[in-house]
Amino acid sequence: MQSVLVIDDDAALRDTIGLMLEAEGFHPALAEDGKVGVLQALTMTPDLVLVDLRMPGLSGIEVCKQIRAAGMKTPLIVLSASGDEIDKVLLLEIGADDYVVKPFGARELMARIRAVLRRTLPDARKIAQFGDANIDFERRVVTRCGEPVKLTPAEYNLLTYFLSNPDRPLTRDMILNSVWGYESFPNTRTVDAHVVKLRQKLEMDPNTPKLFLTVHGVGYRFLP
């Protein structure tokens, strides 16, 4: 289970994000200010940090600077109010990987988190093997028995989501929120259709799937 540290002085928003993360299978850790957040980041080494731009005391910018100064390569996403003037160059210079403008929806936030995590996978995790197939995250290439497998962008994103959540029952709504994101409005039949495509392309016998299993009344489970 990947851990996400949320640093925000807004208790209501902080708790809400924590619940969102739990619902999506992450382990959330919450910090009420920048000073506590930096200490938690250094001690727990989370997989990703969400930090508010404007906080009393230690600002989000200072938090990012201190985390990077400590040599940590943890992905950083900055949360900013809609009225803030965001200098994208400054964010890049302080080591932030992305930013999300408030107010935001659960779909947008989770899509951004997963996108950043995919981009910042450590070397040891950039190639994964499952069944008779391999996926090279850095090159976005999927092969089966050494032969390339052509996947659409949605099929590839669905596959990486399954790989990020092995042996876990996933509802269709969870999959929709995480894979298609906030800007698209597909329905649950979209998930079913794409799972069928993955089975056809990656299962030994698509009619008797061993990787992409149906969990009746829930959704799907991926068994690598």
Side-chain angles (χ1 to χ4, degrees):
M1 184 180 291
Q2 292 175 301
S3 59
V4 177
L5 173 61
V6 183
I7 308 172
D8 199 314
D9 62 309
D10 184 334
L13 180 59
R14 190 172 65 240
D15 291 342
T16 298
I17 294 175
L19 292 174
M20 289 181 190
L21 290 166
E22 283 187 344
E24 290 295 323
F26 292 98
H27 173 69
L30 309 178
E32 67 271 18
D33 60 44
K35 185 176 180 180
V36 173
V38 171
L39 181 60
Q40 283 189 241
L42 296 177
T43 54
M44 70 173 287
T45 59
D47 293 293
L48 183 140
V49 173
L50 288 173
V51 56
D52 187 39
L53 181 64
R54 293 187 180 276
M55 293 184 290
L58 208 62
S59 70
I61 289 177
E62 290 302 318
V63 169
C64 292
K65 286 181 178 179
Q66 290 193 22
I67 288 176
R68 290 293 181 251
M72 296 184 65
K73 297 182 179 180
T74 305
L76 300 170
I77 297 180
V78 174
L79 305 177
S80 64
S82 58
D84 288 335
E85 291 188 7
I86 305 170
D87 188 333
K88 297 179 183 179
V89 175
L90 174 61
L91 290 178
L92 291 174
E93 287 178 347
I94 63 176
D97 296 275
D98 198 0
Y99 71 91
V100 180
V101 177
K102 304 175 186 177
F104 48 78
R107 284 188 175 188
E108 176 184 7
L109 183 60
M110 294 305 144
R112 295 290 189 95
I113 288 172
R114 294 193 184 280
V116 168
L117 286 171
R118 282 196 297 269
R119 292 201 307 266
T120 57
L121 284 169
D123 291 341
R125 295 168 57 195
K126 285 187 177 177
I127 295 180
Q129 183 175 5
F130 57 97
D132 57 2
N134 288 288
I135 178 169
D136 185 329
F137 294 101
E138 193 169 46
R139 298 169 56 221
R140 290 179 65 93
V141 172
V142 179
T143 58
R144 184 177 176 194
C145 299
E147 295 297 322
V149 177
K150 292 184 178 180
L151 299 181
T152 66
E155 290 167 0
Y156 178 86
N157 291 339
L158 177 58
L159 175 59
T160 60
Y161 179 67
F162 277 131
L163 285 164
S164 299
N165 294 274
D167 197 17
R168 179 185 171 213
L170 303 166
T171 69
R172 290 172 176 83
D173 283 337
M174 289 169 63
I175 296 171
L176 279 173
N177 289 344
S178 297
V179 175
W180 275 265
Y182 71 102
E183 73 277 3
S184 300
F185 299 94
N187 56 43
T188 54
R189 292 183 180 178
T190 301
V191 175
D192 298 333
H194 282 75
V195 170
V196 168
K197 290 294 186 180
L198 288 183
R199 285 173 173 168
Q200 292 172 343
K201 295 179 180 182
L202 297 171
E203 292 276 8
M204 291 287 291
D205 181 359
N207 296 318
T208 310
K210 302 294 185 183
L211 299 171
F212 308 96
L213 307 182
T214 299
V215 181
H216 295 289
V218 179
Y220 295 97
R221 182 195 303 272
F222 176 66
L223 290 179

